Amino acid sequence: MPTIFFGHGNPMNALQDNDWSRGWAAIGQRLPRPRAVLAVSAHWYLPTTAVTAMAKPRTIHDFGGFPRELFEVQYPAPGDPDLVRRVRDLLQPLDVGEDRSWGLDHGTWSVLRHVYPEADVPVVQLSIDESQPPGFHHGLGRLLRPLRDEGVLLLGSGDVVHNLHAYAWGRHPAEPFDWALRFEAKARELMLRGDHQALVDYEALGRDAELSIPTPDHYLPLLYVLGASDESDAVTFPVEGMDGGSISMLSVQFG
C-alpha cells in the first residue's frame, strides 16, 4: 500500500462537492483496496500514544459553529482488533494504550467519507503524543512501515500550512498569503528531494514555517507518513490548493 497525507481543511469539506473532496474520492477509486486504515489525525492530540480499540468507533463531531447537517454525519466504519495488536507490537517497547472512549474524529472521517464512502474498511486511529518532539513522530512512522506490506493504508490527516488566525472566515475567495505559498513550496521541494530531516526540524526553516505552523498538531501527521515512506517511493501531490489564504489542502502520496 502507499502511505498518504491528506490536507483536510475545513470540516465542511465532509459535505461539499469541491475540487478537494472530488480529489479524495478519486484517490479512493485509484488505490488498491486496503484491509484496514491506520489514521493519524491532528485532532487526537494528547500527552500519550494510544489506539482506538473499540469494535465500533463512534463518529466524533469535534467542532462548533457549523450547520446541523454536519453534526448529523455518521461514519460507521468498524474497528480492527488485529490491527490494534499489530500496532502495539510494532511500537514496542513504547506502551501504547488501548482507548475505548475516543473514536473517529473529523480529521479522519471528513476525508474517509469521500475516499471510502461506504464506511466498509476498518479504521483504527493512533493518537499524537503532544509531549514528544517531532523526531519521535517520524520515528513511529518508520516503525509502522511494515503495515504497508500487510495491506494497511497508513493515513495522516492535518495541513502542511494551518494558521486559523489568518484564515478568511466567510470572506472567500481569499488570495493565499505569500508566506503560506512559500512554505508549502519549500515542503514540496524537501519531500521530492527526500530530505526528511529538514521537515522534522521544521522550526529551523524560518519565519515562513513559524507562520505556517503556529502549533504543531496539524503538521505532525505528515511526519508519520514521511517515516512510513521508503526511498523507492514515488512522491506525488494528488490534491492541491490553499483555502482561506492560510490553510494548505495539499495531499502527498508516497508509493
Side-chain angles (χ1 to χ4, degrees):
M1 293 297 299
T3 181
I4 307 179
F5 174 82
F6 288 88
H8 66 246
N10 192 314
M12 288 299 292
N13 289 317
L15 295 177
Q16 292 173 346
D17 176 21
N18 56 32
D19 288 345
W20 303 315
S21 64
R22 287 191 294 271
W24 300 341
I27 289 171
Q29 292 161 11
R30 189 170 61 244
L31 288 180
R33 184 178 173 83
R35 73 167 184 84
V37 171
L38 178 65
V40 181
S41 164
H43 296 278
W44 199 20
Y45 190 63
L46 67 167
T48 191
T49 302
V51 284
T52 53
M54 62 288 286
K56 296 180 179 180
R58 65 192 178 104
T59 303
I60 302 174
H61 301 89
D62 51 327
F63 40 69
F66 290 95
R68 176 178 295 276
E69 62 181 325
L70 189 59
F71 290 88
E72 293 173 349
V73 173
Q74 294 294 312
Y75 190 77
D80 188 327
D82 290 336
L83 180 55
V84 169
R85 286 189 290 270
R86 182 66 172 138
V87 168
R88 297 187 77 216
D89 287 345
L90 286 170
L91 297 186
Q92 286 183 346
L94 182 67
D95 184 17
V96 178
E98 293 191 17
D99 181 273
R100 291 179 174 82
S101 62
W102 188 244
L104 306 181
D105 60 55
H106 83 268
T108 294
W109 62 257
S110 68
V111 172
L112 287 181
R113 190 164 190 258
H114 297 285
V115 180
Y116 301 117
E118 300 301 319
D120 53 355
V121 177
V123 182
V124 171
Q125 271 200 215
L126 175 68
S127 74
I128 300 172
D129 187 341
E130 65 185 10
S131 69
Q132 296 292 342
F136 171 87
H137 304 287
H138 184 267
L140 290 195
R142 192 165 54 244
L143 292 173
L144 293 168
R145 189 184 297 168
L147 293 175
R148 294 178 57 189
D149 292 327
E150 299 167 15
V152 175
L153 175 62
L154 178 61
L155 177 158
S157 180
D159 297 292
V160 172
V161 176
H162 185 265
N163 188 324
L164 287 182
H165 293 293
Y167 187 77
W169 293 103
R171 302 191 301 278
H172 301 287
E175 287 297 317
F177 288 97
D178 290 346
W179 48 264
L181 293 173
R182 285 195 302 265
F183 182 74
E184 186 193 89
K186 182 64 175 179
R188 286 187 191 224
E189 173 196 334
L190 292 169
M191 284 185 269
L192 289 169
R193 212 163 67 202
D195 189 350
H196 293 188
Q197 194 56 50
L199 291 160
V200 170
D201 298 331
Y202 69 91
E203 292 173 302
L205 293 176
R207 180 67 172 162
D208 290 345
E210 184 179 342
L211 289 168
S212 298
I213 312 170
T215 60
D217 46 300
H218 277 70
Y219 182 80
L220 293 177
L222 173 64
L223 299 187
Y224 286 80
V225 171
L226 289 174
S229 69
D230 185 88
E231 290 180 1
S232 63
D233 285 332
V235 183
T236 56
F237 305 103
V239 180
E240 303 175 297
M242 197 74 66
D243 185 24
S246 64
I247 302 290
S248 169
M249 298 300 297
L250 189 70
S251 291
V252 188
Q253 179 172 330
F254 295 86

